[in-house]
Amino acid sequence: MRAATLLVPAGILVLVLWSWHGTRFDPVGLLGADGRAQMLAYAEKLFPPDLSPDLLRKVAYWSLETFAISFMGTLLSVTVALALVFFASRNLVFAGVLFEVDGAGQPTRIARIGLFVAAKALLNLLRTVPHIVWALIFVFAVGLGPFPGVLALGLHTGGVLGKLFAEVVEDIETQPLAALQAAGASRPQVFFYGVLPRVLPQFLAYSLYRWEVNIREAIILGYVGAGGLGQQIQIAISLFLENKLLTLILAIYLMVTLVDYLSAYLRRRLL
Amino acid sequence: MSEPVYRLEGLTKIFDGTLTAVNGVDLTVRPGEKVAVIGPSGAGKTTLFRLLNLTVRQTAGRLWIAGQEIGDLHGARLREMRRKIGTVYQQHNLVPRLRVIHNVLAGHLGTWSLPQALRSLVRPREEDLRAAHRALSQVGIPEKLWARTDELSGGQQQRVAIARVLLQNPEVILADEPVSSVDPTLAHGIVKLLVELCGTFHKTLVMNLHSVDLALAYFPRIIGFRDGQIVFDRSPAEISDDLLTGLYAGRLTAASAEDSPDAVAETVRSCTPLLRPQ
């Protein structure tokens, strides 16, 4: 017992040392005289931010584009998740109180389980492929611009939300469903009367939270050519336009903070 | 004589091949009868009720409802049969986040198509509104029509569950310990309400009760149930203290020997009516 409790901290220590070595973690190099001088030099180049009216107008446009990518991407992801959640929740497809008295034969049962496994597998595929890889694929498929960004966020986040939604559905209390069923309700009716009202607030809360994540992801997507602020940051860094870069970073700071507050406010109102 | 509402022949339910919850029950319930089922915790009463409302299927034996054998009924015909049986559970009958009106109108789901059900969620029809209001008036809380269900008290929620059963308009009402999670002073009112409503609307009523007092006070026919079997089936006048002691006998010692303090407390509570002087 004592040996086992020592094993955990010992294991963590080994992991830390191994990763430290593996990533060539080097605080001395970073904070040493040389590192400090370089950082300071770069920071000096950043200032002052470029606040020319022409650039500000453009930054506002790019910010709106990034905002639109995150919003449309989240909307698409919710659609994807809702389309799949019904099939990806055990208690709606083949198991639990709704299937205890079930005249269906073995083939139907196997088909239902197959449907469930297929939906789960599809959600896993959408989720495990990172959004930036989806974005690269769609940039090749539909060209540069915000549209591939929307598709990438929609598919990746659709996989994430689908999994979360299914977990919410699988966790709900069964008694109200059993009562509806006992009154003669069909399974789709049980879904709309018993399941959906119960899970909708949590679905909305998760979607809003993912929107906060997506506004940041939408910026990264710009790096591979999917429009918005990210694309401009990539250009500013490659062309050494440091003053413009600082303006863009300030724009990101403002927009992410704004979306975080908006989403947090909406979630508080909902729950 | 009309067909019995329920006819059971050797009805048996064994869970997982080993746990016998209901063991060869023979029973006939005629239209309009009011029957109370009493017995110790773990006697298999709830399983019996789930067999009766067709939410579990028997392992052996036969079951007829209104003359029709149930067998391996499924799909639309199973739904149609379930619609004829209204159930009030101990608690959690209702969908908490739905408004009372929609929980009451859920009683119609057995006859509604999916589009009808969805349209009602958006905007209930005028006639359904009136029906829901009438049902809620009959259970004494018409003012709660548009309330959020999770804002009601336990007793009010049981009244909403009864209103839903009234909308469902079944031939038989099954009530599985409908007042176990309700304040004892309200329990009388709810049992009385169910008995009276069943009288008014000529419904058959089968109620599973924890409280022997309530069973003896309101029901002309009492079934004692223990170890998955019917121990006695007679009128309150024919029920002696010896009979009741026999029904619950051994539970106290058995419980204290092997079960948690909760189970003991439960058993003591179920025996309390017997321990009190007459």
Side-chain angles (χ1 to χ4, degrees), chain B residues 112-125:
Chain B
W112 277 350
S113 67
L114 183 60
Q116 275 178 303
L118 292 179
R119 204 179 312 135
S120 177
L121 273 183
V122 179
R123 190 154 176 270
R125 287 181 304 179

Side-chain angles (χ1 to χ4, degrees), chain A residues 217-238:
Chain A
E217 292 198 343
I219 294 162
I220 296 169
L221 290 182
Y223 256 78
V224 296
L229 286 170
Q231 206 165 345
Q232 300 306 319
I233 287 181
Q234 203 246 340
I235 292 168
I237 290 180
S238 348

Side-chain angles (χ1 to χ4, degrees), chain B residues 84-104:
Chain B
K84 295 180 182 171
I85 307 160
T87 311
V88 178
Y89 295 91
Q90 181 175 338
Q91 54 181 345
H92 306 304
N93 287 282
L94 310 170
V95 184
R97 295 199 66 102
L98 227 44
R99 289 189 187 281
V100 166
I101 168 116
H102 296 302
N103 267 306
V104 173

Side-chain angles (χ1 to χ4, degrees), chain A residues 42-138:
Chain A
Y42 196 73
E44 275 172 358
K45 272 195 246 169
L46 285 174
F47 280 94
D50 183 349
L51 297 178
S52 61
D54 185 43
L55 181 67
L56 284 184
R57 255 198 311 278
K58 281 183 186 156
V59 168
Y61 174 80
W62 296 323
S63 299
L64 281 178
E65 192 168 78
T66 297
F67 182 89
I69 293 171
S70 77
F71 187 73
M72 278 306 289
T74 308
L75 218 56
L76 181 63
S77 72
V78 171
T79 314
V80 169
L82 283 180
L84 288 172
V85 66
F86 189 87
F87 306 104
S89 312
R90 264 175 208 85
N91 54 345
L92 297 184
V93 192
F94 67 91
V97 67
L98 299 182
F99 297 90
E100 269 174 33
V101 176
D102 189 37
Q106 202 63 17
T108 315
R109 203 177 139 69
I110 290 170
R112 283 181 184 150
I113 295 177
L115 198 64
F116 166 76
V117 171
K120 276 277 188 201
L122 181 55
L123 285 175
N124 278 339
L125 176 72
L126 294 177
R127 192 176 64 250
T128 50
V129 175
H131 55 94
I132 198 138
V133 175
W134 282 123
L136 280 167
I137 293 170
F138 284 120

